[in-house]
């Protein structure tokens, strides 16, 4: 199931022109780039744990510490696609 979640995330990224997603585990952060400025600002305004940096077109998302694998992939996909990720890990 985790592989399908990652595949879904990759498809969402392709649609949005996103080329890179990296995790910084020590900070519980996902960095997404390049992100269109309008989308980056919208997501950062919607999520208190998000920050958009227009100079590098990078969106930093601080994710809940309990997330990993399938749940983290879904959370990131929801954040970049809708601007509103689910708060709880899916069962």
């Amino acid at each position: 199931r985790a592989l399908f979640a990652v595949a879904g995330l990759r498809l969402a990224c392709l649609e949005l022109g996103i080329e890179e997603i990296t995790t910084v585990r020590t900070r519980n952060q996902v960095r997404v780039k390049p992100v269109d400025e309008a989308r980056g600002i919208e997501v950062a305004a919607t999520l208190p744990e998000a920050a958009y940096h227009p100079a590098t077109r990078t969106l930093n998302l601080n994710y809940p510490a309990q997330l990993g694998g399938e749940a983290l992939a879904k959370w990131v996909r929801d954040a970049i696609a809708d601007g509103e990720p689910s708060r709880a890990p899916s069962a």
Side-chain angles (χ1 to χ4, degrees):
R1 291 174 36 167
L3 291 176
F4 286 117
V6 170
L9 174 58
R10 290 186 69 182
L11 288 173
C13 288
L14 284 173
E15 290 177 12
L16 297 170
I18 295 169
E19 298 172 359
E20 181 180 335
I21 294 181
T22 56
T23 58
V24 182
R25 291 283 180 180
T26 57
R27 301 175 82 184
N28 289 341
Q29 188 176 79
V30 175
R31 294 182 181 161
V32 182
K33 68 180 183 179
V35 176
D36 177 61
E37 187 169 358
R39 180 171 299 278
I41 291 171
E42 176 184 351
V43 173
T46 304
L47 300 174
E49 65 271 10
Y52 180 69
H53 304 280
T56 58
R57 298 180 62 201
T58 302
L59 178 63
N60 293 340
L61 302 168
N62 294 325
Y63 62 89
Q66 75 272 17
L67 294 184
E70 178 184 359
L72 180 57
K74 181 183 181 322
W75 188 90
V76 173
R77 186 189 71 225
D78 291 349
I80 62 173
D82 305 330
E84 295 187 24
S86 56
R87 292 285 174 206
S90 59

